[in-house]
Amino acid sequence: MRVTMITTVVHDTDNIIIRDVPVSSTILELEDSNLAIIDTGMAGNPDLLEQLAEYGYAPSDFSLVLNTHLHPDHIGGNRLFTNARILVSRRELAYEYSFSQMLQESEDPLAALRAIGRVVDHMTHQLSRDLKGLVQEYPAASLVGDHGQIEFLEDDPHLPGYISLLQVPGHSIDSLAVLLQGKTRRLVVAGDALYHRDLWREDPLIGLHYNNRLFLQNAEFIARFPDIIIPGHDRAFDNLNRQYLQDDSLMI
């Protein structure tokens, strides 16, 4: 199975949550010659189409989209993949819808985050305002995909046997990591359950996590994975030697 990692970045925004932050997408050439992609970057970002084209892919070639979670910087390109099954958590979609409504209706987004139990501090004011702006402009329900393409994980949709989904909640209510069992190596696509090789230990994203305790617990779990890890906002690395991979495409 060939795995190709691409990174997209949004520069033209004042929103500190997404500005200049690399987002990982992972392309899988499956053993049945179908194509899958895990996470699709930020909405409206031309980087995704450009990088797919560099590798000889078009969105219409893909038969499967997997989302590790439903934040807008990970599902923004979903609607480009018009021929694909889109696998998401029903529970997470419902939560993100209600969360978006709650923030949009609040005049004080920091107080709203605190009211639902988010860990916030004096540094979270600007982040809370930008989070409200993000869900107003990019609600999950409008990005996730056409209703006819969506399959809910709770209904146990078919996946090849070498693809497993790991429940790693904390960053979002139903965060997933995708475990790929290759012929020679194993690889885990972590999404934001482990968003960076190093930075998660001193977490700068306070207020963004659904449950900070669960996030740290599951980040530690993934950080012990003894093979290749693709974080949500960092380059792929080999956790056996802690070195970043030199190539963006590899056979496993």
Side-chain angles (χ1 to χ4, degrees):
M1 173 173 43
R2 179 169 293 281
V3 179
T4 301
M5 290 79 64
I6 63 176
T7 302
T8 56
V9 184
V10 174
H11 301 293
D12 187 20
T13 179
D14 293 328
N15 193 303
I16 62 172
I17 297 173
I18 59 173
R19 185 182 63 224
D20 300 332
V21 176
V23 181
S24 302
S25 297
T26 303
I27 300 164
L28 311 177
E29 293 184 3
L30 304 177
E31 293 180 1
D32 59 4
S33 299
N34 283 318
L35 290 174
I37 187 168
I38 304 170
D39 290 343
T40 60
M42 189 64 206
N45 188 351
D47 274 7
L48 181 66
L49 290 175
E50 291 171 3
Q51 292 195 46
L52 287 175
E54 286 179 9
Y55 285 101
Y57 303 124
S60 58
D61 299 331
F62 286 75
S63 62
L64 179 65
V65 172
L66 276 165
N67 292 124
T68 59
H69 62 296
L70 300 184
H71 292 168
D73 55 333
H74 291 260
I75 63 172
N78 277 20
R79 288 189 175 271
L80 297 172
F81 296 85
T82 54
N83 295 328
R85 304 158 59 211
I86 299 173
L87 273 55
V88 300
S89 161
R90 178 186 287 113
R91 179 174 181 239
E92 177 141 329
L93 186 58
Y95 177 85
E96 290 300 327
Y97 178 78
S98 62
F99 179 72
S100 174
Q101 290 292 107
M102 178 273 295
L103 275 185
Q104 290 182 53
E105 294 169 1
S106 172
E107 295 183 2
D108 185 345
L110 184 64
L113 292 176
R114 187 177 286 117
I116 61 172
R118 295 286 179 102
V119 177
V120 297
D121 63 11
H122 67 285
M123 300 295 292
T124 318
H125 288 276
Q126 182 61 48
L127 184 145
S128 67
R129 290 192 292 271
D130 282 356
L131 182 58
K132 177 176 179 177
L134 200 61
V135 300
Q136 282 179 320
E137 189 171 359
Y138 303 107
S142 69
L143 296 179
V144 67
D146 184 84
H147 178 76
Q149 295 176 252
I150 293 173
E151 298 180 24
F152 291 112
L153 297 171
E154 290 88 345
D155 298 331
D156 196 25
H158 172 73
L159 284 172
Y162 48 86
I163 299 179
S164 302
L165 303 180
L166 307 177
Q167 300 283 338
V168 284
H171 178 68
S172 71
I173 195 172
D174 221 5
S175 290
L176 298 170
V178 182
L179 176 63
L180 307 175
Q181 180 66 60
K183 294 178 180 178
T184 59
R185 301 291 299 267
R186 292 191 304 161
L187 186 153
V188 66
V189 182
D192 284 3
L194 187 82
Y195 59 84
H196 192 280
R197 186 187 67 173
D198 304 312
L199 296 181
W200 61 271
R201 292 180 176 86
E202 296 182 5
D203 185 16
L205 299 179
I206 188 166
L208 287 184
H209 301 308
Y210 163 73
N211 183 303
N212 203 57
R213 179 188 61 81
L214 276 177
F215 165 76
L216 292 171
Q217 175 182 309
N218 281 310
E220 180 68 37
F221 165 70
I222 293 175
R224 294 195 299 267
F225 179 72
D227 219 316
I228 299 168
I229 300 175
I230 302 178
H233 296 281
D234 194 14
R235 294 161 49 209
F237 65 96
D238 187 333
N239 208 28
L240 296 175
N241 59 22
R242 299 289 295 166
Q243 299 298 308
Y244 286 112
L245 301 186
Q246 296 302 307
D247 296 319
D248 291 330
S249 186
L250 70 156
M251 294 294 295
I252 63 170

